[in-house]
Amino acid sequence: MGEPDGVAWWLALGLASTGLKPEWADAVHDRYGYCEGLPFFLTDLRPQGYLGRAAIHQLPEGTSFPSDIRLWSDDHVISYLVRFGEDLPGNLVLGDETSSMAMFGASGLGIRYSERETAYPRMADAAVAGNFFGSSVEGEQPKFTTWLRDDADREAEAVIVKFTDRLSTPTGRRWADLLAAEQAARLVVSETALADAEFPYSELFDFGDRRFYQIARFDRIGRSGRRGLVSLRALHDAGLTGGETNDWVEAVEGLARRGWVSPADLRVVRLRAAFGNLIGNTDMHFGNLAFYLEDRLPLRLAPLFDMVPMLWAPRPGESEPLPEFRPKLPTPRHLDVWSEAAELAERFWERITREAFVSVRRLSVTPAFRAVAANALRTIRDMKRRLT
């Protein structure tokens, strides 16, 4: 046998439409075209989070996958992707059968826009009972994925829908506050240079006894179009950020030094990180920052998602915590973006106090969370007086 074809792995996965290797290819395989373990562009497809665990419980009888997805080997992941990986994040699909399902599976699926008020509560109940799942999107917030169709079935839109516990419970009320805050963050960002032309549309609803937060998937285009996506976690775990860190900015600076991220997108990441700090987002892990996976470098930054003030998220034994809000002070090298982030944070907390986070229907936040917002607004304004 001769040497393995050094480009066979990416041609088989359909990553290049031009017949040329992606510009990043040589950074992720050896001279024979092999990777040790899963290549970085497949690691995000591993079942994970709320939907990943639900998906495992829905596998057909006779499958031999470990019930704990944390125990899966790379072989388990590949076997799963080949058999059940037709609707996972991004645009990569392994195997002929799953590719056919990915191409034609969206036809006739989903619900009509006019049916959401009755369908969403039913789908949430099914998800909680373990009878429904969707694309294995990361994150622990309860959610499902679906397709929305217009009444004439002419158009289809893929969406992710987060939902709360019952609003009659303290935990449900607090998560309703946080979903309203997530929408407020998106509305603030949508009015700035942080939002690009592909900024996905989002909506907030109270249906039945739950709150729902619906956002268009930015890795889907119409009924069958898909867009490649890779998380910062996948890039970091592959050693492409060049160091050990759990900080968005440090990791993306490493990517920028290698030419994987542009200086303009690095600045947006710095601004996002500063904004997240000033709204109490304590969950800016590497799975919550993503880039479009394309043939060329630098990779383009994907739209903002999961920007939530998780400092106030329910905790075991404390469904409505009221922790002290103490944002980190900026370092001198980050002062250039801090003032801009502080302006955004001030507008964010103002929206919460005024309940200005929906454009059509008026939904409420609890008095306790309005008090949180008023206190945070005072904190931000005091920081601005001292630092600007």
Side-chain angles (χ1 to χ4, degrees):
M1 294 180 60
E3 291 186 351
D5 181 357
V7 299
W9 56 268
W10 58 263
L11 283 175
L13 289 167
L15 283 174
S17 59
T18 62
L20 301 174
K21 286 193 298 183
E23 291 182 355
W24 42 260
D26 290 338
V28 298
H29 67 68
D30 64 19
R31 65 190 183 95
Y32 299 118
Y34 285 103
C35 301
E36 183 176 348
L38 291 178
F40 78 90
F41 48 82
L42 291 184
T43 56
D44 286 327
L45 304 187
R46 176 188 292 269
Q48 54 193 311
Y50 183 90
L51 288 178
R53 290 192 302 274
I56 302 314
H57 293 305
Q58 295 296 313
L59 292 176
E61 291 186 11
T63 55
S64 57
F65 297 98
S67 58
D68 187 344
I69 55 180
R70 295 172 297 181
L71 301 178
W72 282 25
S73 67
D74 290 347
D75 288 340
H76 287 124
V77 174
I78 292 294
S79 178
Y80 174 82
L81 296 180
V82 169
R83 299 170 65 184
F84 308 108
E86 73 275 6
D87 186 27
L88 297 176
N91 66 345
L92 300 183
V93 181
L94 276 63
D96 291 341
E97 184 176 348
T98 48
S99 295
S100 295
M101 294 175 65
M103 291 175 63
F104 302 107
S107 300
L109 292 180
I111 62 173
R112 289 184 171 88
Y113 287 92
S114 58
E115 299 172 336
R116 290 179 295 184
E117 186 168 359
T118 56
Y120 278 5
R122 183 176 68 250
M123 295 165 81
D125 289 344
V128 171
N131 297 321
F132 180 86
F133 61 92
S135 175
S136 184
V137 179
E138 186 177 13
E140 297 303 325
Q141 171 68 25
K143 63 177 72 70
F144 55 84
T145 62
T146 190
W147 288 86
L148 293 176
R149 298 177 283 130
D150 63 15
D151 288 341
D153 289 342
R154 289 189 301 264
E155 298 180 2
E157 178 184 33
V159 295
I160 300 172
V161 183
K162 297 182 181 181
F163 62 90
T164 67
D165 199 352
R166 304 288 182 182
L167 297 177
S168 55
T169 66
T171 299
R173 290 196 303 270
R174 175 49 59 88
W175 273 114
D177 291 336
L178 295 179
L179 292 187
E182 183 171 358
Q183 174 71 339
R186 290 186 58 76
L187 290 174
V188 166
V189 168
S190 71
E191 301 164 354
T192 73
L194 278 175
D196 57 26
E198 300 168 343
F199 202 68
Y201 181 68
S202 60
E203 292 186 81
L204 196 67
F205 310 98
D206 281 356
F207 291 152
D209 193 26
R210 299 184 193 272
R211 179 161 290 176
F212 296 87
Y213 180 62
Q214 170 196 300
I215 181 170
R217 290 182 61 169
F218 49 80
D219 64 340
R220 296 292 186 265
I221 307 169
R223 286 183 182 270
S224 56
R226 300 191 177 197
R227 180 172 285 141
L229 206 64
V230 62
S231 71
L232 179 58
R233 172 180 293 154
L235 296 167
H236 179 71
D237 289 350
L240 298 171
T241 60
E244 289 300 319
T245 181
N246 60 2
D247 179 80
W248 277 6
V249 174
E250 290 183 14
V252 177
E253 284 176 339
L255 290 172
R257 285 192 294 270
R258 289 169 167 251
W260 282 62
V261 174
S262 70
D265 276 349
L266 171 58
R267 187 181 190 283
V268 173
V269 170
R270 294 173 63 221
L271 187 51
R272 285 186 190 180
F275 175 61
N277 171 53
L278 293 171
I279 71 167
N281 186 357
T282 56
D283 195 35
M284 290 186 285
H285 59 73
F286 284 6
N288 279 347
L289 190 70
F291 300 84
Y292 289 123
L293 182 61
E294 299 165 337
D295 294 351
R296 296 184 178 278
L297 294 176
L299 304 180
R300 291 187 300 129
L301 185 64
L304 182 78
F305 63 96
D306 282 352
M307 185 57 72
V308 186
M310 292 293 288
L311 179 65
W312 293 276
R315 299 189 287 257
E318 193 176 7
S319 57
E320 299 178 273
L322 292 173
E324 185 178 5
F325 178 48
R326 298 183 63 183
K328 296 177 183 177
L329 295 172
T331 60
R333 73 189 189 101
H334 293 309
L335 279 175
D336 62 321
V337 297
W338 188 89
S339 295
E340 187 175 348
E343 292 291 333
L344 295 177
E346 186 174 11
R347 286 157 54 187
F348 167 82
W349 290 116
E350 285 176 340
R351 279 187 177 270
I352 300 298
T353 59
R354 294 186 289 109
E355 297 188 328
F357 42 78
V358 289
S359 57
V360 179
R361 58 186 59 80
R362 184 165 180 80
L363 306 179
S364 64
V365 294
T366 60
F369 201 70
R370 280 199 300 273
V372 164
N375 178 68
L377 185 57
R378 287 191 293 270
T379 299
I380 298 302
R381 287 173 173 169
D382 181 61
M383 293 179 72
K384 286 177 64 179
R385 282 193 296 270
R386 289 186 288 123
L387 293 173
T388 59

